[in-house]
């Protein structure tokens, strides 16, 4: 059994590796980029609404200005996450390393980084939409 | 003395089911709950159905494209859409559950204390506010704005049949709007753990026809009637002699304490000690003589040292304050 695992592993290691990937320095920082944008969007929205209700509109006042600001943050955040997601999709589409991309080869690393980035971008995109939805329905500081 | 059966108190305090709403926002919450329950049942049936299918009817290889569609669709896309829908409904509901403060509402200030409720009906025509305790009455079909505070620890105001919960936070005023849609008696409770007798901090909300409510409020606003019988007069003397008036007010007498509940119309309430006991002369005796047996850690000192006759007279007097 162990021998066969070894065989499989060796076969995978011998997969065709595009020359370009051999020399490439990959970055890990695209993986947390989309969740970081989600966190920044949440924080910015929360702080904006808190300051607006404490200093501008009052506890029962209207949220209008803050709603437009949060809508703006949401647009920017969604665009940024989409760019990160496209980057991830392109990385994942390149090469033919097989799932689950867990070998220590440049090809696997390349597809793994792209796939993780893409999935986290999808999650963050939905999360930012959910945060943004609040200002669609909430009109006042109450 | 035997403890009263729990169903006696439950009946006195009234309905307390979120599934039988009697208020506008409680109805909105109940409707959402039923949809969630129905949706959850449907999803459960589909998932269990698929499991049974996979185990007994289709344990063979399936077309990979279809399987991928099922995994991605059923595992990611549909849950995201369902959650988005439920979130949108919840967000849409929130302004209805916390509406802008309505005009022409009944205005009540409510304080949650360890372990009872102090309330003041704000005067509508320049008269002084009407203080009540441990029981509220509301006119049906008219919104009531309740301004909630607490002088000690965090409590939470909850009348399940009428509306959601609202915390009562020291140093801050929160607001809840109750809009009863049918008459009846509804139980309110403290919904935030607040100390030893947290569970013994209930109140009844009497929802009445507007005319009956006006009469109730006028009655609560009036001073206490002087005791009629000789025994009750003796009870009144006991009340004065033992200094009960240092903590309790009975409007129309010299008792004007502000530490404990206003007792001007204590005999008219459905329960005693914030829903801890029914309201009969025997219950007054039990409460006054052994406070902490009924309500652990309560601020009121027990007066078990009173002669039995004095205690009975006091109970008779208080019970007569209707």
């Amino acid at each position: 059994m162990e021998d066969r695992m070894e065989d499989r592993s060796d076969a995978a290691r011998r997969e065709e590796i595009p020359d370009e990937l051999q020399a490439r320095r990959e970055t890990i920082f695209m993986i947390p980029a989309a969740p970081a944008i989600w966190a920044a969007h949440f924080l910015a929205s929360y702080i904006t609404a808190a300051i607006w209700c404490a200093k501008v509109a009052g506890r029962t006042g209207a949220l209008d200005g803050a709603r437009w600001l949060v809508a703006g943050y949401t647009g920017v955040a969604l665009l940024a996450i989409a760019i990160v997601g496209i980057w991830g999709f392109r990385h994942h589409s390149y090469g033919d390393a097989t799932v689950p991309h867990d070998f220590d080869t440049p090809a696997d690393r390349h597809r793994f980084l792209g796939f993780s980035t893409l999935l986290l971008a999808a999650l963050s995109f939905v999360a930012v939409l959910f945060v943004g939805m609040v200002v669609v329905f909430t009109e006042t500081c109450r | 003395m035997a403890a009263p059966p729990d169903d006696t108190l439950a009946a006195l305090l009234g309905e307390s089911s979120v599934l039988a709403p009697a208020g506008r926002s409680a109805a909105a919450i109940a409707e959402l709950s039923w949809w969630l329950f129905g949706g959850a049942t449907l999803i459960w049936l589909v998932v269990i159905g698929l499991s049974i299918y996979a185990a007994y009817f289709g344990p063979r290889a399936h077309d990979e494209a279809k399987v991928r569609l099922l995994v991605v669709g059923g595992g990611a896309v549909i849950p995201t859409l369902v959650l988005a829908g439920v979130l949108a409904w919840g967000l849409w509901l929130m302004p209805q559950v916390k509406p802008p403060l309505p005009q022409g509402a009944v205005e009540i200030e409510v304080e949650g204390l360890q372990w009872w409720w102090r309330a003041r009906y704000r005067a509508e025509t320049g008269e002084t506010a009407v203080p009540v305790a441990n029981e509220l009455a509301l006119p049906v079909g008219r919104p009531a704005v309740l301004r909630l505070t607490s002088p000690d620890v965090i409590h939470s105001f909850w009348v399940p049949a009428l509306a959601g919960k609202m915390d009562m936070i020291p140093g801050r005023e929160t607001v809840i709007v109750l809009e009863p849609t049918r008459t009846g008696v509804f139980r309110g409770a403290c919904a935030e753990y607040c100390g030893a007798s947290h569970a013994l901090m209930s109140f009844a909300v009497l929802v009445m026809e507007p005319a009956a409510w006006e009469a109730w409020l006028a009655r609560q606003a009036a001073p206490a009637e002087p005791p009629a019988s000789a025994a009750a007069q003796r009870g009144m003397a006991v009340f004065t002699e033992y200094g009960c008036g240092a903590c309790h007010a009975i409007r129309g007498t010299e008792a004007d304490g502000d530490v404990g509940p206003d007792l001007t119309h204590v005999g008219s309430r459905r329960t005693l000690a914030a829903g801890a006991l029914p309201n009969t002369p025997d219950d007054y005796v039990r409460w006054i003589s052994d406070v902490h047996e009924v309500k652990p850690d309560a601020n009121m000192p027990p007066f078990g040292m009173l002669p039995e006759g004095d205690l009975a007279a006091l109970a008779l007097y208080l019970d007569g304050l209707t």
Side-chain angles (χ1 to χ4, degrees):
Chain A
M1 190 71 192
E2 259 178 35
D3 287 353
R4 283 184 58 201
M5 285 291 282
E6 276 305 307
D7 288 350
R8 183 183 155 267
S9 177
D10 284 343
R13 280 164 201 271
R14 282 196 300 274
E15 271 172 4
E16 192 84 357
I17 296 162
D19 289 343
E20 198 223 351
L21 292 183
Q22 294 283 16
R24 193 170 192 164
R25 278 179 69 86
E26 302 274 10
T27 170
I28 199 172
F29 288 107
M30 286 308 267
I31 293 180
I37 295 166
W38 165 18
H41 172 264
F42 180 83
L43 209 61
S45 305
Y46 195 104
I47 291 172
T48 301
I51 293 176
W52 181 272
C53 290
K55 300 289 182 192
V56 183
R59 281 183 61 194
T60 56
L63 207 54
D64 4 83
R67 291 171 88 185
W68 287 111
L69 279 171
V70 172
Y73 302 159
T74 305
V76 173
L78 289 178
L79 188 68
I81 290 171
I83 291 169
V84 173
I86 290 167
W87 184 95
F89 181 72
R90 284 205 179 133
H91 269 57
H92 185 236
S93 306
Y94 187 72
D96 51 8
T98 50
V99 279
H101 314 315
D102 54 357
F103 293 118
D104 55 348
T105 63
D108 268 69
R109 193 176 306 126
H110 187 78
R111 290 203 76 188
F112 171 80
L113 288 170
F115 199 38
S116 310
T117 304
L118 175 64
L119 291 181
L120 282 168
L123 176 73
S124 305
F125 195 89
V126 172
V128 166
L129 275 179
F130 279 13
V131 173
M133 263 165 74
V134 173
V135 294
V136 176
F137 294 96
T138 310
E139 292 172 0
T140 72
C141 291
R142 283 194 74 217
Chain B
M1 225 168 287
D6 283 344
D7 53 350
T8 309
L9 267 180
L12 288 170
L13 286 164
E15 298 175 44
S16 61
S17 173
V18 290
L19 298 178
R24 222 167 61 91
S25 63
I29 295 169
E31 193 194 349
L32 175 63
S33 306
W34 282 115
W35 279 100
L36 287 178
F37 182 66
T41 307
L42 188 70
I43 292 169
W44 183 85
L45 285 173
V46 169
V47 171
I48 295 299
L50 280 173
S51 311
I52 291 173
Y53 166 78
Y56 296 105
F57 299 104
R60 58 180 192 278
H62 285 67
D63 177 45
E64 199 166 324
K66 281 183 188 161
V67 169
R68 183 165 294 196
L69 193 69
L70 183 69
V71 170
V72 175
V77 177
I78 292 179
T80 304
L81 292 178
V82 168
L83 284 179
V86 173
L87 177 65
W89 190 347
L91 290 171
W92 171 77
L93 209 61
M94 268 161 75
Q96 301 178 50
V97 175
K98 284 184 77 181
L101 299 185
Q103 296 293 314
V106 179
E107 298 231 8
I108 314 170
E109 294 159 15
V110 184
E111 241 179 19
L113 299 98
Q114 285 172 317
W115 292 278
W116 60 285
W117 310 83
R118 185 205 301 277
R120 236 173 250 110
Y121 281 74
R122 210 173 270 184
E124 300 190 1
T125 51
E127 297 154 52
T128 47
V130 181
V132 298
N134 299 332
E135 194 163 288
L136 295 176
L138 300 174
V140 68
R142 182 171 158 197
V145 172
L146 280 72
R147 298 176 186 280
L148 312 174
T149 55
S150 163
D152 44 42
V153 299
I154 299 177
H155 302 274
S156 184
F157 182 96
W158 191 28
V159 188
L162 296 184
K165 300 168 189 173
M166 182 57 71
D167 276 5
M168 315 171 88
I169 304 164
R172 175 181 258 267
E173 183 190 88
T174 50
V175 178
I176 191 169
V177 178
L178 303 181
E179 199 175 335
T181 50
R182 62 182 166 92
T183 57
V185 181
F186 304 102
R187 181 185 189 143
C190 179
E192 180 80 43
Y193 180 72
C194 59
S197 288
H198 159 68
L200 298 166
M201 184 175 167
S202 298
F203 59 101
V205 180
L206 322 171
V207 178
M208 306 169 166
E209 293 298 338
W213 177 77
E214 297 280 358
W216 178 89
L217 191 61
R219 180 128 197 90
Q220 296 295 322
E225 281 166 23
S229 71
Q233 277 165 11
R234 181 175 162 204
M236 186 178 173
V238 171
F239 190 90
T240 311
E241 190 184 330
Y242 284 92
C244 305
C247 291
H248 293 286
I250 298 180
R251 282 168 282 132
T253 75
E254 59 193 40
D256 60 355
D258 198 29
V259 177
D262 183 294
L263 299 179
T264 309
H265 299 287
V266 66
S268 73
R269 292 177 205 151
R270 298 172 70 86
T271 63
L272 267 190
L277 291 172
N279 190 344
T280 69
D282 280 352
D283 294 304
Y284 284 97
V285 171
R286 181 173 168 204
W287 169 247
I288 296 165
S289 60
D290 203 352
V291 170
H292 298 129
E293 181 258 339
V294 176
K295 194 176 258 196
D297 282 6
N299 271 342
M300 176 166 149
F303 287 82
M305 71 295 193
L306 261 64
E308 217 168 282
D310 283 358
L311 210 50
L314 182 58
L316 203 65
Y317 167 58
L318 293 171
D319 192 52
L321 293 174
T322 53

